[in-house]
């Protein structure tokens, strides 16, 4: 129900996702009458693998966190997170209010033992042909040095468990490579990272995200979100400028036809929608945040990421890694134990 476009985007994305994933199920969480009307205008859905779970309320994009937590207890966001907690769904995908999603998910699912704050992590494409995992991307605008250390530890465990990278390099986003640069929080975080067991590369700058200097780049949510939105805006601007230049005259249009294979490959590599879907890392259940302005193609990618994470038992494997290596340095005390999401993918709620 959330995001800038709501069911007009999420429903076509869910139907397309089911067409390409025959072993998946989707639970559509939201106001049943609204969803039924929207579905009736689309091609007949695969009803055996798609079901509506009614939620009477919707968390709006500008709702304060307090409203989402205390007043809208039957929101689609709250119901979706509860489905994961109860084991009725293996993952929850939302394009809604980021702050509310983090707060509701943390309240319902709780955090893994030793984690003070969950973080939003996703991959940004780099020139090596892969992706640089960046976190936090907006969940924590203000962070302490210990939180940045924990982000690096969580992302390292995720890379080890899911990507098969046993020793990923971790960089700390800063205004320079020198250890003396940055504000006090960044300097303290650098010291903690250097003294940790992580494969700490050192300070990295913004351009290092795209060169792939480090496998993981850690920053606070304010900087991370600005970085992400700037990256998306730059990609759109470059694509628009290329289209404009090739559309100037008949001659340039003919050149565009000749260059079409190259342009298509370039557009594919620059398409940020393929990287939509950020994991809320550190929770005891799988939650994926889609960009609020995502179109159907981008939201489908978020569903794919949730499906892949569930199929690879991401949460259970990270929890096992935490248990094997012990509580992370200086973390919070463990909360009341709840079962992590595990087993084969049953359903993803959206």
């Amino acid at each position: 129900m959330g995001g800038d476009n709501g069911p007009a985007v999420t429903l076509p994305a869910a139907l397309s996702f089911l067409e390409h994933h025959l072993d998946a199920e989707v639970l559509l969480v939201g106001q049943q009458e609204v969803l039924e009307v929207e579905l009736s205008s689309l091609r007949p859905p695969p009803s055996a693998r798609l079901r509506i779970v009614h939620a009477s309320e919707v968390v709006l994009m500008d709702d304060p966190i307090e409203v989402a937590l205390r007043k809208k207890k039957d929101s689609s966001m709250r119901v979706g997170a509860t489905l994961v907690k109860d084991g009725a769904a293996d993952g929850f995908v939302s394009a809604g209010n980021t702050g509310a999603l983090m707060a509701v998910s943390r309240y319902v699912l709780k955090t893994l033992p030793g984690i003070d704050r969950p973080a939003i992590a996703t991959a940004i494409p780099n020139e090596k042909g892969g992706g640089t995992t960046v976190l936090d991307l907006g969940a924590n605008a203000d962070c302490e040095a210990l939180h940045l250390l924990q982000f690096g530890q969580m992302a390292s465990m995720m890379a080890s468990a899911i990507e098969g990278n046993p020793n990923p390099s971790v960089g700390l986003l800063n205004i320079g490579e020198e250890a003396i640069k940055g504000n006090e929080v960044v300097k303290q975080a650098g010291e903690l990272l250097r003294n940790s067991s992580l494969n700490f590369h050192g300070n990295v700058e913004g351009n290092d995200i795209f060169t792939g200097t480090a496998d993981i780049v850690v920053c606070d949510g304010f900087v991370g979100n600005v970085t992400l939105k700037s990256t998306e805006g730059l990609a759109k601007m470059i694509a628009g400028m290329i289209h404009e230049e090739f559309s100037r005259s008949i001659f340039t249009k003919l050149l565009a036809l000749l260059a079409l294979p190259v342009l298509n490959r370039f557009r594919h590599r620059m398409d940020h929608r393929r990287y939509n879907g950020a994991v809320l890392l550190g929770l005891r259940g799988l939650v994926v945040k889609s960009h609020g302005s995502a179109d159907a193609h981008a939201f489908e990618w978020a569903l794919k990421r949730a499906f892949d994470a569930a199929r690879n038992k991401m949460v259970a494997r990270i929890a096992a890694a935490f248990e094997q290596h012990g509580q992370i340095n200086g973390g919070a005390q463990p909360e009341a134990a709840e079962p992590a999401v595990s087993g084969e993918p049953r359903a993803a709620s959206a």
Side-chain angles (χ1 to χ4, degrees):
M1 303 298 295
D4 296 345
N5 304 297
V9 158
T10 56
L11 295 189
L15 296 179
S16 178
F17 168 78
L18 286 174
E19 285 184 2
H20 296 96
H21 295 77
L22 300 181
D23 53 345
E25 300 176 13
V26 171
L27 306 177
L28 301 174
V29 185
Q31 296 170 323
Q32 185 165 353
E33 292 183 1
V34 174
L35 296 177
E36 287 176 345
V37 170
E38 289 283 348
L39 281 173
S40 66
S41 65
L42 301 172
R43 60 191 182 281
S47 57
R49 295 188 293 119
L50 183 142
R51 177 163 58 91
I52 294 175
V53 178
H54 178 63
S56 62
E57 298 174 303
V58 176
V59 175
L60 303 178
M61 296 300 281
D62 58 352
D63 274 346
I65 292 176
E66 292 77 10
V67 171
L69 277 175
R70 299 177 183 175
K71 296 185 178 180
K72 295 186 175 181
K73 296 185 178 180
D74 194 44
S75 68
S76 54
M77 193 175 285
R78 181 78 165 260
V79 173
T82 302
L83 288 171
V84 175
K85 177 186 176 182
D86 294 342
D90 291 297
F92 173 43
V93 183
S94 174
N97 183 319
T98 301
L101 178 64
M102 176 59 80
V104 169
S105 298
R106 184 177 181 182
Y107 177 79
V108 172
L109 296 171
K110 313 305 182 190
T111 56
L112 290 168
I115 298 298
D116 290 319
R117 296 184 184 182
I120 299 176
T122 195
I124 293 179
N126 59 44
E127 64 184 37
K128 293 182 177 180
T132 302
T133 298
V134 182
L135 73 166
D136 179 29
L137 294 176
N140 306 281
D142 297 305
C143 293
E144 297 176 6
L146 177 61
H147 300 143
L148 298 178
L149 169 64
Q150 292 179 354
F151 295 167
Q153 291 169 317
M154 287 191 292
S156 293
M157 291 180 182
M158 179 179 70
S160 176
I162 304 305
E163 300 172 13
N165 185 349
N167 194 32
S169 57
V170 178
L172 178 64
L173 192 60
N174 201 351
I175 57 173
E177 296 180 357
E178 298 84 357
I180 62 172
K181 289 191 174 180
N183 57 35
E184 288 305 312
V185 170
V186 172
K187 291 177 183 178
Q188 292 171 15
E191 188 67 21
L192 290 176
L193 286 162
R194 275 187 290 274
N195 293 325
S196 72
S197 60
L198 296 174
N199 179 16
F200 183 49
H201 172 84
N203 289 338
V204 297
E205 299 180 82
N207 59 299
D208 290 309
I209 294 174
F210 308 102
T211 59
T213 301
D215 298 314
I216 297 164
V217 171
V218 173
C219 59
D220 65 53
F222 185 94
V223 171
N225 192 264
V226 171
T227 299
L228 179 67
K229 300 294 177 58
S230 299
T231 301
E232 294 170 350
L234 177 62
K236 289 180 180 179
M237 184 189 73
I238 292 175
M241 292 173 66
I242 291 174
H243 180 270
E244 181 181 346
E245 292 301 324
F246 274 113
S247 302
R248 286 191 179 277
S249 65
I250 296 295
F251 177 69
T252 56
K253 290 178 180 179
L254 290 173
L255 289 177
L257 288 175
L258 292 173
L260 191 59
V262 176
L263 291 174
N264 284 338
R265 288 196 297 270
F266 176 78
R267 181 175 61 182
H268 179 73
R269 293 183 66 180
M270 291 286 290
D271 190 357
H272 64 84
R273 298 177 301 171
R274 295 187 300 117
Y275 296 88
N276 184 47
V279 179
L280 271 60
L281 201 57
L283 298 173
R284 299 187 186 185
L286 175 61
V287 180
V288 174
K289 173 65 174 73
S290 166
H291 200 300
S293 62
D295 60 12
H297 179 70
F299 194 82
E300 183 178 353
W301 273 102
L303 290 171
K304 291 177 183 178
R305 293 193 186 286
F307 180 79
D308 288 340
R311 181 172 54 188
N312 288 308
K313 303 179 178 66
M314 187 195 76
V315 174
R317 293 176 69 178
I318 292 177
F322 272 51
E323 183 177 356
Q324 179 180 354
H325 293 94
Q327 184 173 321
I328 63 177
N329 300 342
Q333 294 300 313
E335 301 180 65
E338 293 182 25
V341 177
S342 61
E344 294 303 314
R346 293 183 298 277
S349 59

